Amino acid sequence: PASTVLAYNWGITHALQGNPELAIENFRQVLNLDPGHRPARENLAGMLAETGRLAEAATLYQQAIAAAPQDADL
């Protein structure tokens, strides 16, 4: 849906502008609309790690790896 694309693009924009909290909010919104949106999950994990929320970031990274183990970097 357009709202998913818009929220994701806003998340990327906020991340690039150095606004991790707004990026986190947008990536969470994407995942509420589309729980399987892998790029949003990975970007949310990155923003959480950047802001020191390592346990939550690790959980999201583990979910991303479980969903697509063939894409995990060794």
Side-chain angles (χ1 to χ4, degrees):
S3 56
T4 303
V5 172
L6 183 61
Y8 180 76
N9 288 340
W10 273 115
I12 294 295
T13 299
H14 289 304
L16 293 172
Q17 291 178 341
N19 298 311
E21 294 304 324
L22 292 174
I24 287 168
E25 183 179 316
N26 284 112
F27 293 137
R28 286 190 196 280
Q29 182 181 12
V30 172
L31 292 173
N32 284 333
L33 295 167
D34 180 3
H37 196 288
R38 189 169 152 211
R41 183 174 311 282
E42 292 171 0
N43 281 294
L44 174 58
M47 291 290 95
L48 290 168
E50 184 177 306
T51 58
R53 294 174 251 186
L54 301 180
E56 191 175 358
T59 298
L60 289 167
Y61 281 131
Q62 289 170 343
Q63 290 171 356
I65 291 169
Q70 71 278 5
D71 294 336
D73 291 334
L74 300 177

